[in-house]
Amino acid sequence: MRQKTVSRTSTFAWSPGQHAPLLATGTVAGAFDANFSNTCQLEIFDLNLTDKSPEAVEVSQPVGVVPSNARFNRLAWASPTIDRPYGMIAGGMENGELNLWDANAILSGSKDVLFSKQTNHSGPVRGLHFNPFQQNLLSSASSNGEVFIWDLGNMTKPYTPGTRSTKLDDITCVAWNNHVQHILATSSTTGYTVVWDLKSKREVLTLSYPGASVSITAIAWNPDNATQIITATEDDNSPVILVWDLRYAHAPEKTLAGHTKGILSLSWCQQDSELLLSAGKDCRSICWNPRSGEIIGELPPSSSWNFDIDWCPRNPDLLASASFDGKINIFSVQSTRDGDSASSSHVAQEVHDPFAPQVYQPQGTASTLSLKQPPKWLRRPVGASFGFGGKLAIFRNRPAPPLNLPPGTVAPVGAPTNIPSVTLVNVVTDSEIVQRATDLEHALEAKSLDQFCEIRTHSKTDTAEYWTILRALFEDNPREQLVQHLGFDKQDLINQVTAMTGSLSLGSSQRGSILGINALYSSSGLGLQPSESSTTIAPPVSLPASIRTKSLGSFHIYPSSGSDIDKKITRCVVAGDFDSAVNVCLYDNRLADALVLAICGGPELLERTQRAYFEKSAASKSYLRLLQSVVNGDLEDVVEHADLTDWQEVIVILCTFARPDEFGRLCEALGVRLE
């Protein structure tokens, strides 16, 4: 995972240009190397990442060196411009100076490398940040709450974001908002973080660390959310990262706890907001998912404090971490090579050395970055998906055409590096299917699906009957048309029942028995009332839950063991002609069946009668099973358990009894079974 190592006790800054990554280092304030050297200098290193040999891991020779009269608290590297292809390097010094160097002049070996030296600050400059929208604007901050805004085009006099805040003392960090160019945040040793609005030239919001007053050492804005910011403290008693939503700034939105000692540096990946780095006094560098609050992984620990960490702005696969053990390590989130075996063995040799520096080992997490999902910059560059009618959609990210720039210059900030595009093409593999799809599209546009189905009914294929059924659905009364197509003519059924009961001399005495039954239940007002029209479809009647029985499994609507009377009654029930069904039952002395068919509901006496009857007879006669589903309004039982050889009868049952809101769903369920 470790790619390169620069043996320097220095703060650093990545080059933001589109060239090979460069690393600027400045001798850090407040620390000495092993030789107690007083040398202070700014160096630029070419990491040469293409050389993977073990000998090239250590980068010792800089490509540019500039001596300095003071040590560095902070470094910042501005994006390149036309006249400065490698940008500008700003240094915040411990003596209060703000120095700016031309990186191109340093790399070319020129002696005139210092662009500007400013001494307006009264204390050490610890905060530096170039505006991501206007690279000519630089914010700097130092002690006594001093915050200055510099215009690189005119360095004679800095601007201030507003009246000096009384809540700030020694400022530790400044950060521009990633979405609103006139919003700036500053943190201080007092425990306050102040948000400034440069348009109104005043502080607009103050974030207070909950509890005791502690030093806020690092802040960072969310790359995707303009109102979210994080702060970190160096307090060893509460080493946490606080996630704030400025819309509800009275308390932190989330707390990230994982360090065991104070946190000294933060870096939020600009290409993927779900990757956050933190470094602290516990010698650990942790990678977080700030959205979920979980620790994704951890870099190999160092032997001293990690005081600076940062993602490479142009290549987010790379990150760097600096520690007081005199090393700046460059890591890759994709590499699996273990480059820390030497340091691990060195630590093992010093385990029993009482004078060796204390080494903090991570607890509970592996020293590796193991991302659960690919980072956002590894999205698919090209892809395709088939659509309806032989359409193929292709997306790709084409490289942007080269800009006509002078030799040796790079593209300005914000210039597109790729152009996304989507292309639709026709892929014809079966011309007949394509023609059918085209005809269907035309029918949909012209709203002539009935004519489309009519044409298909005359085709000499096995699907002609299906198209006939579909054609019936476009009639004024589609249910009746579908019932007739499936061979159920209600008038013909009534004539058959009338002929049968008439030939068996069902006269007035039989009809009188019906009236007698009416009289039997007349006290409850539930007499048997014959239908005024035998063609009327009886609506389904729901029974109380206590009457409903459990599913009895699959059944045949026309069982082979059934008599002609059974089939006749079943056919009447299927067609919804309860009047004829009652006549047949009374003719065959099936009084209980007649009562259930005729009354289908009633008061307590009738409820008890129906319950006892269903418990004894429902499983023995198929038509009662069918009636039970109709009475209960449980047509799903018929759809799910009826034998598929009787699918036509099932459709007729749905057309007869199903409510409009459940008809489509039940037909779909039957279709799934038929598949």
Side-chain angles (χ1 to χ4, degrees):
M1 188 173 182
R2 183 166 63 98
Q3 301 292 304
K4 301 289 181 178
T5 297
V6 179
S7 295
R8 295 290 189 274
T9 306
S10 304
T11 185
F12 67 89
W14 287 97
S15 63
Q18 293 181 340
H19 42 259
L22 301 175
L23 196 69
T25 65
T27 307
V28 70
F32 286 97
D33 58 16
N35 299 322
F36 290 90
S37 173
N38 291 322
T39 302
C40 305
Q41 56 190 8
L42 171 69
E43 299 174 288
I44 299 179
F45 290 88
D46 183 358
L47 300 179
N48 191 19
L49 296 171
T50 57
D51 189 351
K52 303 295 184 179
S53 61
E55 296 79 11
V57 171
E58 182 74 26
V59 182
S60 57
Q61 295 298 324
V63 294
V65 181
V66 177
S68 173
N69 60 350
R71 291 176 178 264
F72 293 79
N73 285 317
R74 190 82 65 179
L75 277 179
W77 199 327
S79 296
T81 58
I82 299 298
D83 54 340
R84 291 186 176 86
Y86 284 94
M88 191 82 68
I89 300 176
M93 318 303 291
E94 65 176 349
N95 61 359
E97 292 182 356
L98 172 63
N99 296 333
L100 290 99
W101 294 273
D102 187 345
N104 191 65
I106 297 175
L107 294 173
S108 61
S110 174
K111 295 183 179 180
D112 186 16
V113 296
L114 184 63
F115 174 78
S116 176
K117 176 185 289 188
Q118 303 297 327
T119 59
N120 298 66
H121 285 289
S122 60
V125 180
R126 293 190 176 91
L128 282 179
H129 195 202
F130 284 98
N131 191 296
F133 299 94
Q134 301 183 53
Q135 288 289 306
N136 63 310
L137 297 182
L138 172 66
S139 61
S140 63
S142 66
S143 59
N144 300 321
E146 294 178 346
V147 183
F148 293 149
I149 309 298
W150 304 86
D151 185 355
L152 301 189
N154 183 9
M155 298 286 293
T156 57
K157 183 180 179 180
Y159 302 91
T160 60
T163 305
R164 182 175 299 182
S165 175
T166 58
K167 298 175 181 178
L168 298 178
D169 188 10
D170 291 342
I171 298 180
T172 57
C173 187
V174 295
W176 293 96
N177 191 283
N178 294 308
H179 294 270
V180 185
Q181 61 182 355
H182 56 85
I183 298 298
L184 179 72
T186 57
S187 62
S188 173
T189 55
T190 59
Y192 289 99
T193 299
V194 176
V195 180
W196 304 84
D197 186 348
L198 271 63
K199 276 191 175 181
S200 59
K201 299 194 68 174
R202 64 185 180 91
E203 58 178 285
V204 294
L205 194 64
T206 300
L207 305 177
S208 175
Y209 184 85
S213 177
V214 296
S215 176
I216 304 298
T217 51
I219 55 177
W221 290 94
N222 189 320
D224 298 335
N225 187 349
T227 61
Q228 192 175 68
I229 189 173
I230 58 174
T231 62
T233 173
E234 65 176 354
D235 183 22
D236 293 342
N237 296 322
S238 181
V240 295
I241 301 172
L242 302 180
V243 182
W244 302 83
D245 190 335
L246 301 188
R247 296 170 297 180
Y248 317 99
H250 58 280
E253 178 185 13
K254 191 180 300 180
T255 300
L256 309 181
H259 284 278
T260 57
K261 286 197 173 184
I263 302 170
L264 301 178
S265 180
L266 293 173
S267 180
W268 208 329
C269 183
Q270 297 298 308
Q271 287 81 2
D272 190 346
S273 61
E274 295 185 359
L275 296 177
L276 172 68
L277 292 173
S278 64
K281 299 179 185 178
D282 54 2
C283 310
R284 300 168 62 191
S285 298
I286 298 176
C287 185
W288 308 78
N289 182 340
R291 181 179 59 84
S292 63
E294 64 178 334
I295 296 179
I296 298 176
E298 184 174 338
L299 299 178
S302 61
S303 59
S304 188
W305 295 3
N306 293 333
F307 63 88
D308 201 1
I309 195 167
D310 197 14
W311 295 94
C312 179
R314 287 298 184 183
N315 184 4
D317 284 338
L318 299 175
L319 58 99
S321 175
S323 63
F324 285 121
D325 61 3
K327 292 182 179 180
I328 302 175
N329 292 315
I330 291 85
F331 300 92
S332 172
V333 298
Q334 295 191 69
S335 174
T336 58
R337 180 170 62 88
D338 185 8
D340 298 289
S341 58
S343 61
S344 300
S345 61
H346 176 69
V347 172
Q349 293 174 3
E350 296 184 348
V351 169
H352 302 291
D353 186 355
F355 298 99
Q358 184 178 4
V359 178
Y360 297 89
Q361 295 296 336
Q363 301 293 329
T365 57
S367 296
T368 180
L369 291 180
S370 179
L371 303 182
K372 295 182 179 180
Q373 60 185 15
K376 291 182 179 180
W377 63 82
L378 294 180
R379 291 175 177 173
R380 292 180 298 171
V382 64
S385 177
F386 278 100
F388 183 74
K391 299 292 185 181
L392 180 64
I394 303 173
F395 73 88
R396 57 172 64 90
N397 293 317
R398 300 178 182 272
L403 301 176
N404 295 324
L405 300 176
T409 61
V410 297
V413 176
T417 58
N418 55 66
I419 301 176
S421 63
V422 178
T423 306
L424 294 178
V425 297
N426 290 323
V427 179
V428 179
T429 57
D430 191 331
S431 57
E432 183 179 357
I433 294 179
V434 173
Q435 183 61 41
R436 291 179 181 177
T438 304
D439 295 343
L440 179 57
E441 288 181 351
H442 292 163
L444 290 172
E445 294 176 358
K447 297 181 179 180
S448 58
L449 290 176
D450 53 344
Q451 299 178 8
F452 178 80
C453 295
E454 181 68 26
I455 295 175
R456 294 294 178 183
T457 59
H458 300 297
S459 62
K460 297 180 180 180
T461 61
D462 297 337
T463 61
E465 184 179 359
Y466 305 149
W467 289 106
T468 303
I469 297 176
L470 291 176
R471 176 67 179 86
L473 298 179
F474 291 96
E475 297 293 340
D476 295 336
N477 196 337
R479 289 196 180 189
E480 291 186 1
Q481 294 293 330
L482 187 57
V483 169
Q484 290 181 4
H485 177 76
L486 295 175
F488 286 81
D489 190 337
K490 292 186 178 180
Q491 188 58 45
D492 181 61
L493 182 62
I494 294 172
N495 294 337
Q496 292 179 17
V497 173
T498 303
M500 182 188 70
T501 56
S503 63
L504 295 176
S505 302
L506 181 59
S508 58
S509 60
Q510 296 285 357
R511 184 62 61 183
S513 64
I514 299 178
L515 298 178
I517 297 174
N518 270 321
L520 178 63
Y521 292 97
S522 60
S523 60
S524 302
L526 295 172
L528 289 172
Q529 300 295 333
S531 303
E532 295 181 0
S533 174
S534 60
T535 60
T536 303
I537 297 177
V541 180
S542 297
L543 288 177
S546 59
I547 298 180
R548 300 181 184 179
T549 60
K550 296 182 179 179
S551 173
L552 300 178
S554 61
F555 69 100
H556 289 276
I557 293 180
Y558 294 120
S560 58
S561 60
S563 64
D564 293 339
I565 297 296
D566 293 340
K567 293 181 180 179
K568 187 66 68 178
I569 296 175
T570 302
R571 193 169 181 84
C572 292
V573 173
V574 168
D577 187 3
F578 288 100
D579 186 79
S580 298
V582 169
N583 287 337
V584 175
C585 289
L586 294 176
Y587 169 79
D588 200 41
N589 294 323
R590 303 183 183 185
L591 183 59
D593 297 352
L595 289 174
V596 174
L597 287 168
I599 299 174
C600 295
E604 181 179 357
L605 176 61
L606 183 57
E607 180 179 340
R608 291 199 303 267
T609 305
Q610 288 178 334
R611 185 186 304 116
Y613 189 83
F614 279 134
E615 289 177 355
K616 294 180 180 180
S617 304
S620 61
K621 297 181 177 62
S622 62
Y623 64 86
L624 288 180
R625 171 68 184 280
L626 176 60
L627 176 63
Q628 182 181 7
S629 298
V630 173
V631 171
N632 295 345
D634 185 19
L635 296 181
E636 292 183 359
D637 179 66
V638 180
V639 172
E640 294 177 358
H641 301 105
D643 192 272
L644 293 180
T645 58
D646 302 321
W647 65 270
Q648 293 183 343
E649 283 73 16
V650 176
I651 294 179
V652 175
I653 292 170
L654 297 181
C655 293
T656 305
F657 300 105
R659 297 191 304 271
D661 59 341
E662 66 178 357
F663 179 77
R665 176 175 58 82
L666 294 175
C667 289
E668 182 179 357
L670 178 60
V672 171
R673 287 194 62 198
L674 290 173
E675 290 179 356

